[in-house]
Amino acid sequence: AAVDDDQTLLVRLRAGDRAAFAVLVRQHHGRLLRLAGIFCAVRATAEEVVQEVWLAALTGLDGFRGEVPVGAWLSGICANKARTRAVRDGRSVSLDAMEEEHVPDPARFEANGHWKEGFARWDMLTPERVAGDRELLDRMGAALDALPPAQRAAIWLRDVEGLEAPEIC
């Protein structure tokens, strides 16, 4: 009976019946949202993925032959889109997602973003300082290499090339 219902629903959808689309959404939206939530840690992202699923389903409706239930077809679309989104989102780190301990103390900065206190000069070259500098540079290099290309480029343009934020954008 479910296959017959799917076939009837497909005929109605292909005919442009908006009520059939509303039925489809009512039947499957919650499940698709839960499925997307498995891959996407943020609910808003999962909701965006499900919106993409509905668009893909509508645009791909003519290519769907009905060999599997509509719900399985939608779930496949959802899983693929959610996986793709999770991989894409995993390539960058938003400032909002950083842990609290990594956020700099605002009391240490002026309103214009500059440090309130200057740095003490390290004029003495000791073996410990040289070794520490090498280790620090190695760690900084590794951290920069781990960044997605766009973030690495932004840091390069700001800290090496000296461009201002509007120019970098």
Side-chain angles (χ1 to χ4, degrees), residues 6 8 15 18 21 25 31 34 36 39 44 46 51 54 62 68 72 74 88 95 101 107 119 121 128 146 154 163:
D6 279 354
T8 304
R18 290 180 183 210
F21 183 69
V25 170
R31 186 176 44 77
R34 287 188 298 279
F39 298 95
Q51 290 300 316
W54 291 123
D62 289 334
V68 297
L74 292 171
R88 188 183 81 207
L95 294 177
E101 65 219 37
F119 292 100
R121 293 186 52 86
E128 292 85 9
L163 297 177

Side-chain angles (χ1 to χ4, degrees), residues 28-40 45-54 56-57 70-88:
H28 300 285
H29 188 79
R31 186 176 44 77
L32 294 174
L33 190 56
R34 287 188 298 279
L35 178 60
I38 292 170
F39 298 95
C40 305
T45 303
E47 290 171 354
E48 288 176 14
V49 166
V50 174
Q51 290 300 316
E52 293 174 17
V53 170
W54 291 123
V70 172
W73 176 60
L74 292 171
S75 294
I77 295 171
C78 185
N80 288 332
K81 289 200 171 292
R83 260 190 239 107
T84 301
R85 179 66 181 263
V87 168
R88 188 183 81 207

